[in-house]
Amino acid sequence: MTDLLTRRTPTPVPARPRRTGVGVLIGAILGILAIASLFIGVSDVSPLALLTGGPDSSAAFLLVTSRIPRTVAVLLAGASLGIAGLIMQMLVRNRFVEPGTTGVTEFATLGMLISTVFWPGMAVVGKMAVAAVFGLLGTWVFLRVVRAVPVRQLVLVPLVGIMLGGIVGSVTVFFAYRLDLLQSLGQWSQGSFASVMQGRYEFVWIAGAMVVVAWFAADRFSVIGMGEDFATNLGLDYRRVVAVGMVIVALITASVLVTSGVIPFLGLVVPNVVSLIIGDNARRSIPWIAGLGAVFVIACDIIARLVRFPYEIPLSVIVGIIGAALFLWLLLRRRGRAH
Amino acid sequence: MIVLDGVSKRYNGHTVLDEVSIAFGAEGVTALIGPNGAGKSTLFGVVGRLIRPEAGRVAVDGSDVATARSSDLAKTLAVLRQDNHIAARLTVHDLVEFGRFPHSKGRLTVTDRDHVDRAIEYLALDDFRNRFLDELSGGQRQRAFIAMVLAQDTKYILLDEPLNNLDLRHMTEIMKLLRRMADELGKRVIVVLHDINFAATYSDRIVAMRDGRVVADAGAAEIMRPEVLEAVYDTKVDVRQIDGRPVALYYS
């Protein structure tokens, strides 16, 4: 049928939005910050100390057991949280959702509390699994609520999610208070990489793996991001892709939660900024979101370590301040346009 | 052929499709007309496996829509629904590439790229291919969606009110294009239209629906009569012959 279409020699295609220059710049900043992150801290770990001390020195020991794990954890958490936000945005078809504005984080935190209460001696992997199951439950509940309440208004959907999170969060606080676990709760709800050490951060690799999974399924997520009708027309099993997306979001949320605690706004801000730069084709935007998310968190982590040197302030405070400002800018910018 | 056999659909006790039996696919362009709530969009939804009917079956080229693999159907049938207010910042090229999804599953081959290029060229979108959809005018965006459906390379193309929100020039442009797709490419286009004069001018067959039933099904000459149109729309319609073509006047 299409053979009837007139063929002609292919014309040179004008450049698609790739922005290679900006990409390289982000990569370079990421590299510099990652290296800086290795050498910032109270103890003397400097290239010089490493060179003179050799592999058995205390500097090398610190590098391997603390600084490298911390840097890796920061990078993976930053990269994956942006992806979790992106996938939530595709599932809900709303730019202003992420695990933190949909109750998913609160559900996962409740899962952490429950595992601490009922199985206090549980290994971290078990806690993470419970948190992931609760995160999955949270995603499911949110999707059901959004579907039941036909709110298509851009800002109303995350409001529903924040209310849902508020309800779940208050239940968590109530039981934590009753069971004298408020301190643990405070630790989870305030993201910080200060206690990351070798042997205590490896679960964040699961979040990293999810980034790769998301990238492989990128086209499917792009398609479901255009709606169920659209996806069905292209022969895609909408529900299955949604289910895969939910699992990715839950695993990322849970593994970051057990590693560092809650890091707010990231999943919201980074995908939106990337959307402005390069658009919403997930195949192209996922590497950008991962890279920019990692830059964002590592920069905040370095600031958190330097502001009150030699003390640290919680990373989530820095992320919250910068993230909230960026988020406001995105909101106002949107209002400034025609609609 | 797309064959509907006794298809019924109810929403909260309200019958939207009432034992509809009809076949599409013999003609190049079929226009589906009727008042709001007649069941046109539901009919498209049922054919496009987006809505599951309570009774009856739909078959596309012999395979039952309810049981056939969705990914196989996507190679013979493309449905473009009404509300394409897609918020995603995708380029025209991205969108048209997604049309190849049923064939490529996201890994585009040389053949896929060829289809994409030809669809873009056919819709005269070469200059816009790297523009984001939210930077296009309504007419350009509608063309981009049709290019996507064309790249999907299906025999049947169902378009739900593609003229929505378009100005005169772009409405005419789209209708001429659908006509060409049927004549030059052998597509079977089924299109929901509100402007009956467009339906009469560009289609080979007009199917009129009302209250979930097909109430008239014939060529333009038979449909474009006051008594038929008045029965369909429940409003006064005058039909005049202008240059040998029936033109409905409903601006009383």
Side-chain angles (χ1 to χ4, degrees):
Chain A
M1 211 177 303
T2 42
D3 300 332
L4 286 168
L5 275 168
T6 47
R7 276 168 171 277
R8 69 167 199 194
T9 46
T11 46
V13 181
R16 303 177 76 173
R18 286 195 196 280
R19 310 286 165 95
T20 319
V22 189
V24 170
L25 185 70
I26 291 175
I29 295 174
L30 187 60
I32 293 165
L33 291 178
I35 291 166
S37 166
L38 293 176
F39 299 111
I40 293 171
V42 182
S43 308
D44 178 37
V45 181
S46 63
L48 188 69
L50 285 172
L51 281 175
T52 53
D56 298 321
S57 66
S58 66
F61 177 76
L62 257 170
L63 186 75
V64 171
T65 56
S66 166
R67 299 288 172 76
I68 291 179
R70 178 172 192 155
T71 305
V72 169
V74 167
L75 294 178
L76 290 177
S80 60
L81 282 174
I83 303 301
L86 173 80
I87 289 176
M88 285 267 13
Q89 287 156 24
M90 297 278 189
L91 298 186
V92 188
R93 298 186 69 193
N94 185 301
R95 285 199 180 287
F96 293 137
V97 298
E98 63 130 28
T101 61
T102 50
V104 178
T105 307
E106 285 78 2
F107 265 100
T109 310
L110 179 62
M112 291 278 282
L113 183 76
I114 285 174
S115 64
T116 308
V117 172
F118 288 100
W119 306 283
M122 200 184 223
V124 183
V125 63
K127 282 186 181 169
M128 194 204 122
V130 175
V133 169
F134 271 76
L136 201 59
L137 180 73
T139 325
W140 183 78
V141 169
F142 177 71
L143 288 177
R144 288 310 291 256
V145 169
V146 166
R147 212 157 280 182
V149 191
V151 277
R152 277 281 156 246
Q153 259 179 301
L154 203 58
V155 188
L156 226 51
V157 172
L159 277 184
V160 169
I162 290 168
M163 288 194 306
L164 190 69
I167 294 166
V168 178
S170 58
V171 169
T172 312
V173 170
F174 174 76
F175 283 109
Y177 176 70
R178 279 305 187 85
L179 300 167
D180 216 10
L181 285 168
L182 274 177
Q183 207 178 2
S184 304
L185 189 65
Q187 225 167 37
W188 303 328
S189 56
Q190 257 187 358
S192 169
F193 290 90
S195 58
V196 164
M197 275 197 302
Q198 194 179 27
R200 284 199 51 194
Y201 83 104
E202 282 76 4
F203 294 103
V204 79
W205 281 104
I206 294 174
M210 286 305 110
V211 174
V212 178
V213 173
W215 201 37
F216 271 105
D219 285 317
R220 283 167 173 77
F221 286 120
S222 295
V223 170
I224 65 155
M226 288 184 276
E228 186 167 0
D229 289 2
F230 200 92
T232 309
N233 170 49
L234 293 177
L236 202 68
D237 188 340
Y238 183 77
R239 281 163 189 276
R240 198 164 65 191
V241 182
V242 168
V244 171
M246 285 165 66
V247 170
I248 293 177
V249 169
L251 281 176
I252 289 176
T253 307
S255 61
V256 173
L257 192 64
V258 297
T259 309
S260 70
V262 177
I263 302 175
F265 284 113
L266 181 73
L268 206 61
V269 170
V270 173
N272 274 293
V273 169
V274 169
S275 167
L276 291 177
I277 304 174
I278 201 168
D280 287 329
N281 190 342
R283 177 154 301 283
R284 258 178 285 138
S285 69
I286 282 178
W288 277 75
I289 292 170
L292 210 58
V295 166
F296 184 57
V297 177
I298 202 161
C300 289
D301 188 54
I302 289 174
I303 295 171
R305 282 191 264 171
L306 290 179
V307 168
R308 279 183 62 207
F309 195 82
Y311 305 103
E312 277 194 35
I313 57 174
L315 167 80
S316 55
V317 174
I318 307 288
V319 174
I321 293 167
I322 300 176
L326 277 169
F327 181 50
L328 268 176
W329 172 72
L330 283 169
L331 268 181
L332 295 173
R333 186 193 161 280
R334 190 160 280 274
R335 187 152 299 178
R337 290 204 296 184
H339 53 128
Chain B
M1 295 290 275
I2 301 175
V3 182
L4 286 85
D5 184 17
V7 173
S8 292
K9 177 72 195 173
R10 259 173 284 279
Y11 286 118
N12 309 322
H14 179 72
T15 305
V16 201
L17 285 181
D18 193 1
E19 291 189 31
V20 174
S21 296
I22 191 169
F24 297 102
E27 301 80 10
V29 177
T30 304
L32 193 57
I33 64 166
N36 296 329
K40 306 181 296 289
S41 293
T42 311
L43 184 96
F44 270 26
V46 168
V47 173
R49 68 203 174 285
L50 305 166
I51 298 169
R52 198 170 280 273
E54 265 101 44
R57 59 186 293 266
V58 181
V60 176
D61 280 349
S63 58
D64 193 320
V65 166
T67 53
R69 284 167 57 108
S70 184
S71 51
D72 290 338
L73 275 173
K75 293 177 192 166
T76 42
L77 175 85
V79 187
L80 199 56
R81 302 272 276 176
Q82 230 179 86
D83 47 348
N84 289 310
H85 47 232
I86 281 170
R89 264 168 68 80
L90 293 171
T91 63
V92 171
H93 193 110
D94 290 336
L95 184 76
V96 179
E97 274 187 359
F98 286 133
R100 293 305 295 169
F101 196 85
H103 306 269
S104 69
K105 304 284 179 243
R107 303 274 179 279
L108 294 183
T109 62
V110 177
T111 323
D112 292 320
R113 292 186 196 287
D114 205 35
H115 275 282
V116 170
D117 286 342
R118 279 184 289 168
I120 287 176
E121 196 189 321
Y122 202 78
L123 276 287
L125 286 164
D126 270 316
D127 296 342
F128 307 105
R129 65 157 57 194
N130 291 319
R131 285 277 223 42
F132 286 113
L133 291 175
D134 57 4
E135 299 165 357
L136 298 181
S137 74
Q140 290 162 348
R141 201 175 309 136
Q142 192 62 270
R143 280 199 339 250
F145 280 106
I146 295 176
M148 183 200 89
V149 168
L150 194 61
Q152 201 176 333
D153 193 24
T154 57
K155 182 175 175 192
Y156 304 104
I157 296 177
L158 277 62
L159 304 167
D160 198 350
E161 295 190 33
L163 306 187
N164 246 0
N165 299 320
L166 296 188
D167 62 28
L168 262 182
R169 184 188 128 210
H170 290 107
M171 284 201 269
T172 318
E173 211 174 86
I174 297 280
M175 286 315 294
K176 279 186 179 150
L177 184 85
L178 298 183
R179 189 68 254 173
R180 268 177 63 208
M181 279 161 58
D183 295 342
E184 298 175 9
L185 310 178
K187 302 286 183 195
R188 297 289 180 259
V189 181
I190 303 153
V191 54
V192 172
L193 293 175
H194 275 305
D195 189 319
I196 43 184
N197 291 325
F198 271 121
T201 311
Y202 293 100
S203 56
D204 305 302
R205 173 190 177 192
I206 299 176
V207 174
M209 288 186 73
R210 187 182 166 166
D211 300 331
R213 279 189 218 118
V214 173
V215 291
D217 179 0
E222 277 121 290
I223 301 287
M224 295 298 278
R225 289 189 315 204
E227 62 272 24
V228 176
L229 293 175
E230 279 168 15
V232 171
Y233 287 103
D234 224 354
T235 187
K236 192 161 162 35
V237 181
D238 198 4
V239 179
R240 304 270 174 83
Q241 297 290 323
I242 297 175
D243 292 342
R245 281 210 305 232
V247 176
L249 302 172
Y250 39 83
Y251 319 99
S252 52

